[in-house]
Amino acid sequence: MDPEATRSAHKKRDIFVEGPIEPAFIATSIARHATRTDIGAHEIFLGQVRADHVAGADGHPPAATVVAIEYTAYRDMALERMTDIREVAFARWPDITCLHVHHSLGTIKAGELCFMVFASAPHRAAAREAVAWVVDRIKAELPIFGKEIVEGGGHIWKSNG
């Protein structure tokens, strides 16, 4: 397929939302697909902020508990890279009927959702493989940064792993 045609078919979409991803948003996303009778499987990855116990800022005690993560991003660069990832995903798994990605920006408290990748396909294998691949690509390639806010007000920059 012509790369320009592919690019226009998968235009740059804004994946960022301010604040946490609400569970009702996820339910609504699923419900919107109920009229698509060609879909036989949905696969969803949800990232949630953990209340990890981390060492002090210098790598030594005192340990503290993460109470939130403040997400920032190089927005334009991230959206451009996300468009490329989306195009590759549709090329690798041509049976997927849709691919939705949302990532939070701002401060997300422990226990709240911050990342969602949702794919649908006629069969589960394509949806599962696409979601796993897209999550890994986003974690490795998008310039999204997480500053872990610990109890008492300190912070530690998070590394994606």
Side-chain angles (χ1 to χ4, degrees), residues 10-157:
H10 301 121
K11 65 182 180 185
K12 185 161 63 173
R13 296 172 186 221
D14 192 354
I15 65 167
F16 294 111
V17 296
E18 289 295 326
I21 297 170
E22 298 296 331
F25 174 79
I26 298 160
T28 300
S29 296
I30 295 167
R32 285 185 181 148
H33 293 77
T35 59
R36 295 283 309 262
T37 56
D38 58 331
I39 295 172
H42 302 289
E43 183 77 9
I44 300 173
F45 171 85
L46 299 172
Q48 177 173 306
V49 174
R50 290 185 314 268
D52 283 346
H53 297 285
V54 294
D58 59 357
H60 300 287
T65 301
V66 173
V67 295
I69 297 178
E70 182 182 324
Y71 289 101
T72 57
Y74 291 129
R75 191 181 192 103
D76 289 342
M77 186 184 301
L79 296 179
E80 203 57 47
R81 186 66 196 117
M82 186 62 233
T83 300
D84 295 340
I85 291 169
R86 177 185 299 277
E87 289 176 5
V88 172
F90 277 103
R92 288 180 72 159
W93 295 278
D95 289 344
I96 58 174
T97 57
C98 59
L99 176 63
H100 305 281
V101 176
H102 300 280
H103 199 293
S104 294
L105 294 177
T107 303
I108 312 303
K109 297 177 188 169
E112 292 180 323
L113 299 173
C114 56
F115 183 28
M116 173 178 142
V117 178
F118 175 4
S120 302
H123 303 284
R124 69 181 181 275
R128 279 186 176 168
E129 292 170 11
V131 166
W133 184 85
V134 168
V135 168
D136 288 347
R137 297 283 44 89
I138 289 170
K139 297 286 248 173
E141 299 177 26
L142 264 58
I144 300 171
F145 311 99
K147 184 168 71 174
E148 294 178 321
I149 310 298
V150 296
E151 60 191 356
H155 72 271
I156 299 168
W157 286 101

